[in-house]
Amino acid sequence: MTPPRRVAQLPPILIERIAAGEAIERPAAAVKELIENALDAGAREISIDIGGGGLDIIRVADDGHGMDAGDAERACQRHTSSKISTVDDLDSIRSLGFRGEALASLVAVAQVTIVTAWDEGPAAWQVVYRDGVLVHAGPAARRVGTTVTVRNLFAGLPGRRKFLGSGASEATRVVQVTRRYALAHPAVRFSLVSDARLTFRTTGSGRVDVVMGETWGTAIRAGLLELPTKLEGSATVSGWMGDRSTTRPTRSGIIIVVNGRPVQSSGLQEAMESAYRPLLPRGRHPYATMQIHCDASDVDANIHPAKTEVLLRRERDIGGMVMAVVRTALGTMPDRPPEGGWQRQSGQLSLVPVPSSEPSQPPRIREPSGDYETPIDRMERGRKLVRELPRMQLLGQVRRALILVEGRDGLYMVDQHRAHERVLFEQLAAGTDVVAAQSLLEPVALELKRHEAVLFQSRLAALRELGFSIERVGDVTFLVHAIPSVAGGAASLTPDDELSREMSWPGDNWHDRLRTAVACRSALRRGEVLQPAAMRQLLLDLAATDSPAVCPHGSPLVLEVTGRFLERQFDWS
Ligand code: ADP
Ligand code: MG
């Protein structure tokens, strides 16, 4: 046994390094703190330059209000801040920083030089820190603003360096963090240079969609939709998101900004995800920038050392607003032929989409012809259009798969299977009022794996809500007595492996997956002949859904061929 050691006060430099580890976890965290300081100083332009993923060097220069000599020296001491001064201030923080720890942490774990010029001072001032100690302070040259240079991050902490990725993976994190702040502050010009190469630059346009193009690549611009602004009480939700053809395989395209601070909020993320999950193909996630503005006193930013998580007092309400705007954006717009129209080859119509030339063109002014619509117009129109479908002229069924209707402005094709899936999915989501349990003549036995059986047992009540009546008869054996029967649903639903897999799906999205599977199996198939009355009823039911333009798997179900499109394609002008 090792003899017990004596309890002793730690040396100050050790205390500093321990504390620094909390706020500055990796290069991207240092960049984040320096960007926040620049924004708090009112910068209009922030240049970020990193080498070796930020481990070798990070330099952040801003044109904010700068510091005078005294402040420049005080700023790097622990618990020094100009942003809050009383306990009450903590309840309504308007700045990004407030903990007064970032610079103190940085000087504890890296070599730091600050050059700053205060707008009222005659000259610039430079301070240099080595191993947490101020080794130089004196005049320098700089226009108003501040440049902070951080070299050899964690060089004195070999343990920490071991936990970090390669320079390249740390650089990726810096890109992500910088992009989040650029999106949160679209009116500020950001540039990011990594190993002497420009990663991206934003123009300070003030437009979130422009910054999304500038930081993700212009290719996504054409697919961006403006979310309808939602206002409730003192909170507003607005933003932009990619349409169903502009998605990512991960959630990293989703950025949530609360009062100018990009945040992680599991509640809002969940709200957003549950809204888009049934509207996008499985495994795809949107590009989205959600801007939330609410009272400063409704946000608690002081729950996380790196301030990346916040508590929102009205998270449920705001989550509901987020869900509503996402559903409207993704769920109500019929698909259309590509912007440029279909290409005509040797006098024949063919289905080769012409790439839209939109992104490189200057923003178009709305033409009186009504040919160009903003995404908001499209959404509004999409919603109205689907409501009007049942009142339009029903032309008939095409390929025993599509319902064809003609309206004043064009032709519409509705996929009968997907439309019915959408209707049934929303009925199932509405719960027991609409869904009846239909008893099976012979109960069906399901044999599960042991871990599935545990999950299954805990979900029996929820499954009853969905119209399943299930009884446990053995350790891993369950008997299905009844299945959900939705109005107009075919009776082809039998409990089998696929259904039981969704019922015991480990994720919390099992509800949606099961509903999708039930809707898909109960819905009308392609190939079924429909009488006019049945087609009308389906259009009526579809018009009553929340997201009438997409099936629960996220595929489009209405195709619109506008009159304008036909005129163009046939040269009928
Ligand atoms: P906090 O941001 O929580 O106040 P920091 O350690 O990040 O703490 O910064 C300490 C103080 O230094 C800030 O309150 C601010 O007054 C000053 N400061 C830091 N960076 C800048 C900057 N880029 N421009 C002007 N002032 C700055
Ligand atoms: Mg700060």
Side-chain angles (χ1 to χ4, degrees):
M1 249 181 59
T2 41
R5 293 208 198 164
R6 308 308 301 265
V7 176
Q9 177 77 40
L10 299 174
I13 181 69
L14 187 50
I15 296 176
E16 287 299 316
R17 284 200 184 160
I18 290 170
E22 274 181 33
I24 311 292
E25 184 183 40
R26 55 188 347 133
V31 170
K32 166 186 171 296
E33 293 295 340
L34 297 175
I35 292 177
E36 287 194 350
N37 281 347
L39 289 168
D40 281 344
R44 307 314 294 165
E45 179 162 10
I46 304 175
S47 314
I48 299 122
D49 196 334
I50 61 168
L55 289 163
D56 300 340
I57 186 166
I58 299 170
R59 175 175 288 133
V60 176
D62 69 59
D63 62 352
H65 58 55
M67 289 173 271
D68 66 11
D71 275 353
E73 286 168 34
R74 264 188 303 277
C76 295
Q77 291 159 23
R78 194 156 291 278
H79 311 304
T80 51
S81 175
S82 57
K83 298 169 191 173
I84 57 174
S85 52
T86 70
V87 171
D88 286 346
D89 291 344
L90 212 47
D91 285 335
S92 56
I93 293 163
R94 277 165 230 283
S95 53
L96 293 166
F98 55 87
R99 300 172 65 96
E101 300 208 302
L103 290 179
S105 297
L106 276 173
V107 301
V109 293
Q111 319 292 17
V112 177
T113 302
I114 301 177
V115 181
T116 183
W118 195 28
D119 50 9
E120 286 171 32
W125 197 252
Q126 181 178 49
V127 292
V128 180
Y129 280 82
R130 294 270 177 277
D131 299 319
V133 181
L134 180 67
V135 294
H136 170 80
R142 199 200 185 286
R143 60 193 169 85
V144 173
T146 303
T147 304
V148 181
T149 308
V150 177
R151 287 193 182 80
N152 302 328
L153 192 59
F154 307 131
L157 291 172
R160 173 60 60 103
R161 271 195 107 125
K162 262 189 277 173
F163 283 100
L164 300 175
S166 63
S169 73
E170 294 305 319
T172 305
R173 288 171 191 269
V174 171
V175 174
Q176 284 164 348
V177 132
T178 308
R179 176 187 289 123
R180 290 160 67 81
Y181 281 83
L183 286 166
H185 295 269
V188 176
R189 292 191 298 282
F190 282 79
S191 67
L192 173 61
V193 171
S194 175
D195 289 332
R197 286 192 32 207
L198 180 71
T199 308
F200 62 71
R201 179 197 297 286
T202 69
T203 50
S205 59
R207 297 188 53 127
V208 169
D209 57 327
V210 172
V211 182
M212 286 172 86
E214 288 164 341
T215 61
W216 292 110
T218 45
I220 72 158
R221 270 298 294 286
L224 294 179
L225 311 166
E226 182 165 16
L227 301 172
T229 301
K230 203 141 170 52
L231 209 152
E232 249 178 64
S234 57
T236 60
V237 173
S238 60
W240 287 79
M241 101 186 272
D243 63 14
R244 289 196 308 282
S245 61
T246 314
T247 58
R248 284 173 74 78
T250 69
R251 291 172 184 77
S252 61
I254 303 173
I255 284 137
I256 297 178
V257 181
V258 176
N259 293 350
R261 183 192 303 279
V263 297
Q264 311 284 322
S265 153
S266 45
L268 295 185
Q269 247 125 345
E270 257 162 46
M272 170 123 200
E273 195 162 338
S274 68
Y276 72 71
R277 212 188 277 129
L279 301 175
L280 291 182
R282 204 165 267 177
R284 302 299 297 182
H285 304 272
Y287 288 90
T289 306
M290 309 291 284
Q291 295 267 12
I292 294 157
H293 291 277
C294 57
D295 282 343
S297 58
D298 280 344
V299 188
D300 188 352
N302 191 24
I303 58 163
H304 190 271
K307 300 167 287 175
T308 52
E309 276 171 38
V310 294
L311 269 186
L312 273 183
R313 243 177 282 275
R314 298 174 47 221
E315 187 176 78
R316 282 185 73 89
D317 297 346
I318 293 175
M321 292 160 73
V322 167
M323 281 169 77
V325 292
V326 172
R327 286 222 176 101
T328 318
L330 289 179
T332 57
M333 270 184 301
D335 275 42
R336 269 193 176 180
E339 271 287 315
W342 283 313
Q343 209 167 25
R344 270 187 300 172
Q345 285 170 340
S346 55
Q348 284 185 321
L349 282 175
S350 73
L351 297 182
V352 184
V354 181
S356 157
S357 51
E358 207 83 77
S360 54
Q361 286 173 0
R364 280 205 266 163
I365 309 294
R366 217 190 139 127
E367 294 165 25
S369 69
D371 191 29
Y372 177 74
E373 301 177 295
T374 65
I376 289 266
D377 295 342
R378 256 173 80 199
M379 266 182 293
E380 284 296 309
R381 220 175 56 82
R383 185 185 279 283
K384 256 177 50 203
L385 188 142
V386 184
R387 295 233 172 90
E388 281 167 15
L389 282 177
R391 287 197 293 274
M392 291 180 192
Q393 165 102 0
L394 178 64
L395 299 181
Q397 199 183 13
V398 179
R399 301 186 55 161
R400 296 184 179 170
L402 298 172
I403 301 172
L404 187 63
V405 293
E406 182 180 8
R408 233 178 339 121
D409 305 318
L411 275 179
Y412 305 92
M413 290 170 227
V414 180
D415 181 317
Q416 65 192 41
H417 171 68
R418 290 181 184 168
H420 199 207
E421 270 183 330
R422 166 55 61 192
V423 169
L424 297 182
F425 177 85
E426 294 200 9
Q427 285 179 356
L428 287 163
T432 22
D433 293 352
V434 213
V435 185
Q438 175 193 340
S439 297
L440 295 169
L441 291 176
E442 285 270 320
V444 177
L446 296 176
E447 294 284 333
L448 302 179
K449 304 217 169 63
R450 196 159 293 277
H451 67 277
E452 289 174 339
V454 177
L455 214 51
F456 213 83
Q457 178 67 33
S458 69
R459 291 177 178 170
L460 288 183
L463 286 166
R464 198 165 312 120
E465 292 263 296
L466 276 170
F468 287 96
S469 158
I470 300 176
E471 176 197 10
R472 187 174 197 165
V473 290
D475 237 10
V476 294
T477 315
F478 292 79
L479 272 189
V480 184
H481 293 286
I483 53 169
S485 139
V486 262
S492 66
L493 187 70
T494 44
D496 60 7
D497 289 352
E498 191 204 331
L499 279 188
S500 71
R501 193 175 58 235
E502 304 296 23
M503 290 184 212
S504 49
W505 183 259
D508 62 356
N509 58 341
W510 71 274
H511 269 111
D512 276 343
R513 294 181 62 110
L514 179 60
R515 273 186 216 121
T516 305
V518 170
C520 180
R521 308 272 219 87
S522 317
L524 285 167
R525 333 235 123 243
R526 289 185 206 105
E528 281 182 50
V529 177
L530 297 184
Q531 297 308 316
M535 292 193 262
R536 279 211 191 83
Q537 186 59 49
L538 183 52
L539 294 177
L540 272 173
D541 291 343
L542 181 67
T545 61
D546 285 338
S547 303
V550 224
C551 81
H553 299 100
S555 306
L557 64 84
V558 187
L559 181 66
E560 174 181 37
V561 180
T562 61
R564 287 279 306 173
F565 174 78
L566 294 175
E567 283 159 25
R568 240 191 345 247
Q569 292 299 121
F570 288 106
D571 288 336
W572 283 343
S573 51

